[in-house]
Amino acid sequence: MTSTDTTDRTALVTGASSGLGADIARDLAADHRVLLGGRDAARLGALAGELPGAEPWRVDLTAADDVAEATARIGRLDVLVHSAGVCELGSVADSDSGQWRRAFEANLFAVVDLTRALLPALRAAGGHVVLINSGAGLRANPGWGSYAASKFALRAFGDALRQEEPELRVTSVHPGRIDTPMQQAIVEHEGGAYDPGRFLAPATVARAVGNAVRTPADAHPTEIVLRPTGR
């Protein structure tokens, strides 16, 4: 099977209740049955109603028992997109250990645990893991320490997984700042005026993810970096 064969292909997208995750789900729904991961039942239900064949997959990714129960029902998985995450800003001096723990819990540990639980299903399909990382996973800026550290760690996880599971494809996506509700909260924290034209459109990043997933099987898209042009 090549990545353009779409019969009975299944994708699980976390963070699908809003923002980038929802747009990735919309893109993949063109040729996949999509499981919509998230915690907001109303938003997941509304998106499932919009996308033929999609269904909510309501799971708290930080709850080990919930993850174990939900993944046990998945015997084969072609695509796993990790889009859920958190971002809290603050200097090293001003951020407490709780902020750092929350960043690693959501942005790394939840990703590792879900991937490990789904490895048998991914192996059965010769599947593809997509990690939505960040420009902060390539460089750290002042005030972004806890977030960048978790994203650097996420990149290391992807690099290790790619080498340990040669039958899978593993793609790390490093977008610049995206026009999402999370971005609005970040700009508010920074004290600036929000101008969506400065940022990447979620649909643009979603298309890049879709292109990676649909890359023919003789190629392995390992890393994608996107920067906003401001146009």
Side-chain angles (χ1 to χ4, degrees):
M1 176 183 288
T2 69
S3 62
T4 55
D5 296 324
T6 59
T7 304
D8 297 326
R9 291 177 61 81
T10 300
L12 168 59
V13 180
T14 71
S17 57
S18 67
L20 177 59
D23 274 284
I24 292 172
R26 291 185 180 100
D27 187 282
L28 294 181
D31 49 14
H32 293 75
R33 181 177 72 92
V34 182
L35 302 177
L36 305 171
R39 290 187 288 187
D40 190 316
R43 288 183 177 180
L44 294 177
L47 185 58
E50 174 189 331
L51 304 177
E55 61 181 89
W57 195 76
R58 187 170 177 268
V59 178
D60 180 353
L61 296 178
T62 63
D65 289 345
D66 289 357
V67 171
E69 180 180 354
T71 56
R73 301 192 295 268
I74 301 176
R76 178 185 174 90
L77 185 65
D78 298 277
V79 181
L80 172 59
V81 181
H82 292 284
S83 185
V86 300
C87 179
E88 293 182 74
L89 303 184
S91 68
V92 172
D94 293 336
S95 56
D96 60 19
S97 62
Q99 176 176 316
W100 290 73
R101 292 178 187 280
R102 287 189 295 273
F104 275 80
E105 185 67 39
N107 298 340
L108 178 66
F109 299 148
V111 172
V112 172
D113 289 345
L114 181 60
T115 303
R116 290 180 66 249
L118 287 170
L119 272 178
L122 288 162
R123 289 167 177 159
H128 195 156
V129 179
V130 180
L131 305 169
I132 302 301
N133 201 298
S134 168
L138 300 173
R139 66 189 183 283
N141 291 319
W144 290 73
S146 61
Y147 180 72
S150 68
K151 291 297 190 177
F152 267 70
L154 181 64
R155 183 187 185 194
F157 167 70
D159 290 347
L161 182 67
R162 189 179 301 116
Q163 295 177 72
E164 292 173 1
E165 299 288 337
E167 298 305 312
L168 306 183
R169 296 198 292 184
V170 180
T171 304
S172 289
V173 183
H174 296 269
R177 296 173 72 159
I178 308 170
D179 176 24
T180 62
M182 178 185 288
Q183 195 64 237
Q184 294 176 27
I186 291 171
V187 172
E188 182 178 354
H189 173 87
E190 294 172 331
Y194 193 80
D195 177 5
R198 294 171 49 209
F199 309 121
L200 290 161
T204 299
V205 182
R207 180 178 294 183
V209 171
N211 288 343
V213 168
R214 297 180 183 99
T215 298
D218 63 325
H220 190 157
T222 58
E223 195 165 83
I224 298 170
V225 179
L226 301 171
R227 295 287 179 265
T229 62
R231 295 197 298 268

